[in-house]
Coordinates of all heavy atoms in Angstrom, one line a residue:
H1644 N -3.7 -1.1 9.0 CA -3.4 -1.8 7.6 C -2.2 -2.8 8.1 O -1.1 -2.5 8.2 CB -2.9 -0.9 6.7 CG -2.5 -1.5 5.3 ND1 -3.2 -1.3 4.1 CD2 -1.5 -2.2 5.1 CE1 -2.6 -1.9 3.3 NE2 -1.5 -2.5 3.8
L1645 N -2.6 -4.2 8.2 CA -1.7 -5.2 8.7 C -1.4 -6.1 7.5 O -2.2 -7.1 7.3 CB -2.2 -5.9 9.9 CG -2.6 -5.0 11.1 CD1 -3.2 -5.8 12.2 CD2 -1.5 -4.1 11.6
G1646 N -0.5 -5.9 6.7 CA -0.1 -6.8 5.6 C 1.3 -7.1 5.7 O 2.0 -7.0 6.8
S1647 N 2.1 -7.4 4.6 CA 3.5 -7.6 4.7 C 4.2 -6.3 5.0 O 5.1 -6.2 5.7 CB 4.1 -8.0 3.2 OG 3.1 -8.7 2.6
G1648 N 3.6 -5.2 4.5 CA 4.0 -3.8 5.1 C 2.8 -3.5 6.1 O 1.6 -4.0 5.8
G1675 N 6.8 -7.6 7.7 CA 7.3 -8.8 7.3 C 8.8 -8.8 7.4 O 9.4 -9.7 8.2
L1710 N 9.3 -9.4 11.4 CA 9.0 -10.8 11.7 C 10.0 -11.7 11.4 O 10.2 -12.7 12.1 CB 7.6 -11.0 11.1 CG 6.4 -10.2 11.5 CD1 5.1 -10.6 10.7 CD2 6.1 -10.2 13.0
N1718 N 8.8 -14.4 7.3 CA 8.2 -13.1 7.3 C 6.6 -13.3 7.1 O 5.9 -12.3 7.1 CB 8.7 -12.2 6.2 CG 8.5 -12.9 4.8 OD1 8.3 -14.1 4.7 ND2 8.4 -12.1 3.7
D1719 N 6.1 -14.6 7.0 CA 4.7 -14.8 6.6 C 4.0 -15.2 7.9 O 4.4 -16.2 8.6 CB 4.7 -15.9 5.6 CG 3.4 -16.1 5.0 OD1 2.4 -16.3 5.9 OD2 3.2 -16.1 3.8
M1720 N 2.9 -14.4 8.1 CA 2.3 -14.5 9.5 C 1.6 -15.9 9.5 O 1.6 -16.5 10.6 CB 1.2 -13.5 9.5 CG 0.4 -13.4 10.9 SD 1.6 -13.3 12.2 CE 1.8 -11.6 12.4
R1721 N 1.2 -16.4 8.4 CA 0.5 -17.8 8.4 C 1.6 -18.9 8.9 O 1.3 -19.8 9.7 CB 0.1 -18.3 7.0 CG -1.2 -17.6 6.6 CD -1.6 -17.8 5.3 NE -0.7 -17.0 4.5 CZ -0.9 -16.6 3.2 NH1 -2.0 -16.9 2.6 NH2 0.0 -15.9 2.6
E1722 N 2.9 -18.7 8.4 CA 4.0 -19.7 8.8 C 4.2 -19.5 10.3 O 4.5 -20.5 11.1 CB 5.1 -19.6 8.0 CG 4.9 -20.1 6.6 CD 6.2 -19.9 5.7 OE1 7.2 -20.0 6.3 OE2 5.9 -19.8 4.5
E1724 N 2.2 -18.4 12.7 CA 1.2 -18.9 13.5 C 1.1 -20.5 13.6 O 0.7 -20.9 14.6 CB -0.3 -18.4 12.9 CG -0.4 -17.0 13.2 CD -1.8 -16.4 12.9 OE1 -2.5 -16.9 11.8 OE2 -2.4 -15.6 13.5
T1762 N -7.6 -4.0 8.5 CA -7.6 -4.3 7.0 C -6.3 -4.9 6.6 O -5.3 -5.0 7.5 CB -7.8 -3.0 6.3 OG1 -8.2 -3.4 4.9 CG2 -6.7 -2.1 6.3
A1763 N -6.2 -5.3 5.3 CA -5.0 -6.0 4.6 C -4.7 -7.4 5.1 O -5.5 -7.9 5.9 CB -3.7 -5.2 4.9
G1764 N -3.9 -8.2 4.4 CA -3.8 -9.5 4.6 C -4.0 -10.1 5.9 O -4.7 -11.0 6.2
I1765 N -3.2 -9.6 7.0 CA -3.3 -10.1 8.3 C -4.6 -9.6 9.0 O -5.4 -10.4 9.6 CB -2.0 -9.8 9.1 CG1 -0.8 -10.3 8.4 CG2 -2.2 -10.2 10.6 CD1 0.6 -9.8 9.1
G1766 N -4.8 -8.3 8.7 CA -6.0 -7.7 9.4 C -7.3 -8.3 8.9 O -8.3 -8.4 9.6
E1767 N -7.3 -8.7 7.7 CA -8.7 -9.2 7.0 C -8.8 -10.7 7.4 O -10.0 -11.2 7.3 CB -8.6 -9.1 5.6 CG -8.8 -7.5 5.2 CD -8.4 -7.3 3.7 OE1 -8.7 -8.3 2.9 OE2 -8.1 -6.1 3.4
N1768 N -7.7 -11.4 7.6 CA -7.8 -12.9 7.6 C -7.4 -13.6 8.8 O -7.8 -14.7 9.1 CB -6.8 -13.4 6.4 CG -7.3 -13.0 5.1 OD1 -8.5 -13.3 4.6 ND2 -6.5 -12.3 4.4
S1769 N -6.6 -12.9 9.7 CA -6.2 -13.6 10.9 C -7.1 -13.3 12.2 O -6.9 -12.3 12.7 CB -4.7 -13.3 11.2 OG -4.4 -14.0 12.4
A1770 N -7.9 -14.2 12.5 CA -8.8 -14.1 13.5 C -8.0 -14.1 14.9 O -8.3 -13.3 15.8 CB -9.9 -15.1 13.7
S1771 N -7.0 -14.8 14.9 CA -6.2 -15.0 16.1 C -5.4 -13.7 16.4 O -5.3 -13.2 17.6 CB -5.3 -16.3 16.1 OG -4.3 -16.1 15.1
I1772 N -4.8 -13.0 15.4 CA -4.1 -11.8 15.6 C -5.1 -10.7 16.0 O -4.9 -10.0 16.9 CB -3.4 -11.3 14.3 CG1 -2.3 -12.3 14.0 CG2 -2.8 -9.9 14.5 CD1 -1.0 -12.3 15.0
N1795 N -14.6 -13.6 10.2 CA -14.2 -12.4 9.5 C -15.4 -11.5 9.2 O -15.5 -11.0 8.1 CB -13.6 -12.8 8.2 CG -12.2 -13.7 8.5 OD1 -11.6 -13.5 9.5 ND2 -11.8 -14.4 7.5
T1813 N -9.5 -4.0 2.2 CA -9.0 -2.8 1.4 C -9.0 -3.2 -0.1 O -9.1 -4.2 -0.5 CB -7.7 -2.3 1.9 OG1 -7.4 -1.1 1.4 CG2 -6.5 -3.2 1.5
E1815 N -6.8 -1.2 -2.9 CA -6.0 0.0 -3.4 C -6.0 0.1 -4.9 O -6.1 1.2 -5.4 CB -4.6 -0.2 -2.9 CG -4.3 -0.1 -1.5 CD -3.2 -0.9 -1.0 OE1 -3.2 -2.1 -1.0 OE2 -2.1 -0.2 -0.5
Ligands
AMP1319 P1 -0.8 -8.4 2.2 O1 0.6 -7.6 2.1 O2 -1.8 -7.5 2.6 O3 -1.1 -9.2 1.0 O4 -0.7 -9.3 3.4 C1 0.3 -10.3 3.5 C2 0.3 -11.0 4.9 O5 -0.9 -11.4 5.3 C3 1.2 -12.1 5.1 O6 2.0 -12.1 6.2 C4 0.3 -13.4 5.2 O7 0.9 -14.3 5.9 C5 -0.8 -12.8 5.9 N1 -2.0 -13.5 5.7 C6 -2.8 -13.6 4.7 N2 -3.8 -14.6 4.9 C7 -3.7 -14.9 6.3 C8 -4.3 -15.9 7.2 N3 -5.5 -16.5 6.9 N4 -4.0 -15.9 8.5 C9 -2.8 -15.1 8.9 N5 -2.1 -14.4 8.1 C10 -2.5 -14.3 6.8

Side-chain angles (χ1 to χ4, degrees):
H1644 176 111
L1645 308 178
S1647 335
L1710 299 174
N1718 60 335
D1719 190 306
M1720 186 55 84
R1721 281 167 295 203
E1722 288 181 29
E1724 287 189 325
T1762 194
I1765 300 169
E1767 292 167 28
N1768 297 300
S1769 176
S1771 63
I1772 294 291
N1795 298 335
T1813 193
E1815 290 151 295

